[in-house]
Amino acid sequence: MGARVRGSGGPVVEVGSRVRFEGRTWTVAALHGGQVRLVAENGEMAALLLALLFADEGFEVMHAPAGCRVPPLGLLEALPAPVRERAWAWERHVREVETGHPGGSGAAGPPRAAYDPDVRTLAQREEAKAAELSAAGMPTSAVTVRRMRARYRDDGVWGLVDQRAARPRSALGRADERVVAALREVLEAGQERSNGTLGRLRVYTERLLAERHGDGAVPLPSTATFNRLVHALADGRGLLGSARQRRWRSARPAPLFVPTTVMAPGELVMMDSTRLDAFVVLDDGVVERPELTIALDVATRSICAAVLRPKGTRSVDAAQLLAQMMVPAPMRPTWPEALAMERSVIPYERLLSVDARLEGAAARPVITPQTVVVDQGKVFVSSSFIAACGSLGISLQPAPPGNGPAKGHVERTFSSVNTLFAQHVAGYTGSHTGERGRDAEGEAVWTLAQLDDLLQEWIICGWQEREHDGLRHPMMPRRALSPNEMWAALVAVCGYVPVPLGREDYIELMPVKRQKINDYGIRIDYRTYDHQVLNPYRGEASTAADGLWEIHYNPHAPDEVWVRLPKAGQPRGYGWEAVPWIHRTLVSAPFTDFTWQHVRSTVARRGSRVEHEHDLALALRELLERAAAGHGSRRDKVVAARARAHAANADGAVWGILYGRQPPATADRPDKDDDFDHGEEVFAEDTEAEETDAAGEYQPLGAAGAEGLAVAGDKGGQARPARDSSVTVYDPFEESLRW
């Protein structure tokens, strides 16, 4: 039982060994035939089988050297080749001294005479090995051989390694710890600063050392050594990259990174805005980069909705994304039939039996979000957007400030939009000014409406049908799926629940103000809104706790607001009433809230509020007329062009999405040389138009009454075009009853 595997370094049970058994210390007195006799410290004796001794949970051999049973091959591979060869050679020498054979006791053939254990003692064998090695040019003594045997018994091959080569090496070398600490602090403090040279780092480090330890107390190394020290500290952590890369790395959460696991469509949706890397042509030839806001479903990587706006995205645009996600995207006349949902991998027939709105829809998933992740942008943390998410039962999860990796999926999608779509668009700007061409603005030919149409078409045919490496089906892990394929696979498991949205739902998504209804009506930012429907409530307090009335408004069309007033027959006893601006007939051109703010900043207040509002209205009309005629400053033209672009998108696209209208039938998409009025609305006007009866009350028109009717009294007194009779009217009230 005293035998052991040579070189393993394991403990040995032999006569005289002290062992722990059943919580007591014993001395091994005898070993015979698988039995062991133990003597306790108090003289008590015990005889038992070795198997029972070894099976005891507290058994251990006292004062036995801790050994490594398996050579640390990974550590050996990290050593230089000569060091490894020397260790393996010493192992053969030690084995030959102990067993007579370099390969160990199991080797075949007789041992050499100088190392025969049956003839020579261990001391003689050690002397013979020392003489042999010394004769071979490696001076060695018997004491050295004995020491190598002990190290081999305790640590195996690793004990034979020259430990000078195994010492851990630092990339910092022998640098002064005070210099290293100061340099590390300077590097971390400069993550948010502009890029600088290594010379600036040296100056800052020297200055910090002087403040901490006194002038000249801690000398800096030479320039070459200092630069090597900088790279040793900064390269692995990205502290010498571009300012953008440094900010990105500093915003990452602390490891360990826990991947987000999403198993159902809509379980986690990420929303964000960015400037698109392409120029568009607004009215009057104004060229600028638009803002793109998208909603990305993490489970399927689907771009559920996308809104393209001139500079100045508002919270109502973010709320519109929520509406776009939950209603089918209608096919546009210029799109090929291959983009229809019935031609895609989506289970169209099964879904159509659940949601009739999918008839004629484009191949884009309809997803109801459960949790929406946004950044700290004022668009997404506004009270109106938070209220919109609350009204739809959506959990809003803001990411930490400046933490792009917290919503890395949508950030990466923006990069894909630029590389897969924007770089192929006329007027592409590149990701930064260093990549921009000489005359990128001159190459821009697409209007905002045209580019939006191209983008929506690309999302369906270029993104939703493109294989995504991050989408893998458990049954087909080797094949990457497209977003539409992943949605088809998940919707079969998770199910599909349609969410009908109507006109009142869209009004609920607009920004909110709470104010009194005065004798003159409602005044918001020097604009007075008034209508006879307010007569019973002027000066009256509402039934709310604060006594104020709930008012919703559209920043892209501030010529009217909606007031929630008591109305019999409504589900909650309240209904929406549209209240126009009193000067809306004075300003016939479309304008937005930021257009109004531009006029306010240029018109000084003189006289009363009423006179000032009239002066603002006249100044607004003059501004829009000057811009339309090509006069005025560049700033005036840009403001007016953005206003028309915002109004065209907000007035047509939103209502078209919510009410399921199709765009007007047109010819193929015009080329850059075509004479095409892109200032017109992409979608037709609202099918549920309103007319005023003899008593001045608004009466909603039904589907039959609106058929073929050109409704007068629209903005500027112009008649609305008659609705195409082939378009199906989506009635939200009928839809709610159907489900």
Side-chain angles (χ1 to χ4, degrees):
M1 290 303 301
R4 65 182 176 183
V5 179
R6 295 294 181 180
S8 66
V12 178
V13 177
E14 57 187 354
V15 176
S17 299
R18 293 173 61 84
V19 298
R20 185 174 296 276
F21 174 66
E22 292 184 348
R24 300 169 60 185
T25 301
W26 305 76
T27 301
V28 178
L31 293 169
H32 178 71
Q35 294 183 348
V36 59
R37 293 182 180 274
L38 303 177
V39 179
E41 295 177 346
N42 58 2
E44 180 182 352
M45 300 185 64
L48 68 157
L49 295 175
L50 280 171
L52 296 178
L53 176 67
F54 296 153
D56 184 72
E57 294 182 356
F59 167 75
E60 63 173 329
V61 179
M62 308 294 293
H63 309 296
C68 180
R69 295 183 178 276
V70 179
L73 300 179
L75 295 177
L76 290 173
E77 291 296 328
L79 298 175
V83 177
R84 293 199 307 269
E85 292 297 333
R86 185 181 177 90
W88 293 121
W90 264 113
E91 183 185 29
R92 292 192 295 271
H93 293 316
V94 169
R95 285 179 174 177
E96 188 173 22
V97 169
E98 292 187 346
T99 66
H101 295 276
S105 58
R112 291 193 292 171
Y115 303 102
D116 190 350
D118 297 333
V119 178
R120 309 291 293 267
T121 64
L122 183 59
Q124 291 174 336
R125 297 196 299 269
E126 291 174 348
E127 292 287 348
K129 180 57 68 176
E132 178 184 351
L133 293 177
S134 298
M138 189 173 67
T140 308
S141 66
V143 176
T144 301
V145 175
R146 191 175 301 116
R147 185 176 65 251
M148 298 301 284
R149 287 183 52 247
R151 293 171 61 179
Y152 184 67
R153 181 175 62 250
D154 293 339
D155 298 322
V157 180
W158 183 253
L160 305 178
V161 172
D162 187 350
Q163 297 302 313
R164 293 174 297 179
R167 292 173 184 172
R169 295 185 178 183
S170 172
L172 306 180
R174 300 179 181 179
D176 192 327
E177 294 182 358
R178 296 171 294 179
V179 176
V180 173
L183 179 56
R184 183 179 286 114
E185 184 175 346
V186 171
L187 287 170
E188 292 177 353
Q191 292 188 33
E192 300 295 332
R193 303 190 59 184
S194 302
N195 284 8
T197 63
L198 296 181
R200 188 181 75 173
L201 286 175
R202 184 180 180 87
V203 172
Y204 288 172
T205 305
E206 187 175 15
R207 186 181 304 167
L208 182 59
L209 288 172
E211 293 176 358
R212 297 278 176 82
H213 308 283
D215 293 337
V218 182
L220 285 178
S222 65
T223 302
T225 303
F226 180 83
N227 292 345
R228 288 195 298 269
L229 183 61
V230 170
H231 285 286
L233 288 174
D235 287 349
R237 303 171 59 189
L239 297 178
L240 289 183
S242 64
R244 180 179 180 182
Q245 291 173 338
R246 295 199 306 271
R247 287 193 299 268
W248 180 82
R249 290 184 67 91
S250 64
R252 293 191 306 171
L256 297 170
F257 301 125
V258 180
T260 301
T261 303
V262 184
M263 303 301 297
E267 183 178 350
L268 185 64
V269 175
M270 295 183 178
M271 297 176 62
D272 199 6
S273 296
T274 189
R275 298 286 294 277
L276 190 66
D277 291 345
F279 284 118
V280 295
V281 182
L282 303 180
D283 290 353
D284 299 326
V286 175
V287 177
E288 72 173 12
R289 292 169 59 191
E291 288 187 357
L292 173 64
T293 306
I294 66 172
L296 180 78
D297 177 54
V298 177
T300 64
R301 301 299 197 277
S302 296
I303 300 180
C304 310
V307 174
L308 199 63
R309 289 286 182 266
K311 185 178 180 180
T313 302
R314 306 296 293 269
S315 58
V316 67
D317 298 320
Q320 179 187 340
L321 282 179
L322 301 177
Q324 285 191 22
M325 293 178 60
M326 294 183 285
V327 296
M331 285 285 293
R332 300 187 181 184
T334 57
W335 291 357
E337 290 297 326
L339 303 187
M341 186 179 292
E342 59 182 336
R343 300 287 187 89
S344 68
V345 298
I346 298 175
Y348 174 73
E349 298 293 339
R350 181 69 184 92
L351 294 175
L352 184 62
S353 64
V354 179
D355 189 355
R357 298 174 301 169
L358 295 176
E359 184 174 1
R364 190 201 73 187
V366 182
I367 294 175
T368 302
Q370 300 177 16
T371 301
V372 174
V373 177
V374 296
D375 57 18
Q376 296 289 333
K378 61 181 181 180
V379 172
F380 301 110
V381 297
S382 62
S383 57
S384 57
F385 183 71
I386 295 175
C389 291
S391 63
L392 295 174
I394 300 173
S395 174
L396 189 63
Q397 180 178 333
N403 196 329
K407 47 184 180 60
H409 293 89
V410 69
E411 296 285 357
R412 184 62 182 87
T413 302
F414 279 137
S415 177
S416 299
V417 171
N418 286 328
T419 56
L420 300 176
F421 171 74
Q423 70 168 339
H424 302 289
V425 174
Y428 174 62
T429 65
S431 59
H432 55 81
T433 55
E435 298 179 354
R436 186 169 301 179
R438 177 173 298 179
D439 188 22
E441 295 187 17
E443 297 176 0
V445 297
W446 300 112
T447 65
L448 186 67
Q450 287 177 304
L451 187 60
D452 180 71
D453 185 68
L454 290 170
L455 175 65
Q456 302 298 337
E457 183 175 356
W458 172 82
I459 289 175
I460 295 175
C461 66
W463 179 263
Q464 292 298 128
E465 298 295 337
R466 181 176 179 269
E467 292 182 354
H468 195 293
D469 192 61
L471 299 178
R472 302 281 176 171
H473 195 280
M475 303 302 295
M476 298 178 294
R478 294 187 178 181
R479 182 178 181 274
L481 303 181
S482 68
N484 277 352
E485 291 174 336
M486 195 65 181
W487 187 64
L490 293 181
V491 76
V493 178
C494 304
Y496 172 75
V497 178
V499 179
L501 294 177
R503 172 178 176 271
E504 293 189 357
D505 297 304
Y506 175 62
I507 296 175
E508 292 283 358
L509 297 178
M510 291 183 180
V512 183
K513 283 185 177 293
R514 299 191 64 83
Q515 292 187 192
K516 292 182 179 180
I517 300 178
N518 298 303
D519 293 339
Y520 53 81
I522 301 169
R523 183 169 289 158
I524 300 176
D525 197 15
Y526 286 95
R527 294 188 303 271
T528 302
Y529 300 87
D530 200 8
H531 194 271
Q532 61 185 359
V533 297
L534 302 179
N535 288 343
Y537 312 103
R538 299 181 190 273
E540 298 290 334
S542 70
T543 57
D546 56 3
L548 302 178
W549 297 91
E550 182 181 352
I551 303 166
H552 289 227
Y553 66 98
N554 186 353
H556 298 317
D559 55 348
E560 67 177 350
V561 297
W562 289 267
V563 185
R564 194 192 298 271
L565 297 175
K567 182 178 291 186
Q570 294 296 326
R572 299 181 181 178
Y574 286 86
W576 293 106
E577 292 290 351
V579 180
W581 182 36
I582 61 174
H583 294 298
R584 111 185 249 180
T585 57
L586 187 63
V587 183
S588 58
F591 69 99
T592 64
D593 184 64
F594 63 80
T595 314
W596 179 263
Q597 297 298 334
H598 175 71
V599 172
R600 275 197 58 191
S601 64
T602 58
V603 177
R605 177 177 177 181
R606 295 182 297 272
S608 64
R609 280 180 171 270
V610 176
E611 294 176 358
H612 185 53
E613 181 178 358
H614 187 265
D615 293 340
L616 289 174
L618 293 176
L620 177 61
R621 183 178 67 177
E622 182 183 358
L623 166 68
L624 298 176
E625 290 176 351
R626 287 200 317 268
H631 305 300
S633 65
R634 173 174 173 80
R635 175 63 179 169
D636 292 343
K637 295 179 181 179
V638 170
V639 170
R642 289 178 183 173
R644 283 189 287 271
H646 273 293
N649 281 276
D651 210 25
V654 173
W655 293 103
I657 290 170
L658 290 176
Y659 287 89
R661 290 192 311 275
Q662 306 292 333
T666 58
D668 292 337
R669 184 184 294 107
D671 295 328
K672 61 180 180 179
D673 298 328
D674 292 344
D675 185 14
F676 186 83
D677 184 9
H678 300 294
E680 297 179 356
E681 296 177 355
V682 181
F683 292 90
E685 292 290 342
D686 187 7
T687 56
E688 291 189 358
E690 294 178 344
E691 64 176 358
T692 307
D693 61 4
E697 298 292 338
Y698 282 93
Q699 301 293 337
L701 291 175
E707 188 73 37
L709 179 63
V711 182
D714 196 8
K715 300 177 182 179
Q718 300 177 358
R720 296 183 181 181
R723 182 176 59 81
D724 186 0
S725 59
S726 63
V727 177
T728 303
V729 178
Y730 169 60
D731 187 346
F733 301 103
E734 284 188 14
E735 191 70 19
S736 61
L737 294 176
R738 183 180 305 173
W739 305 113

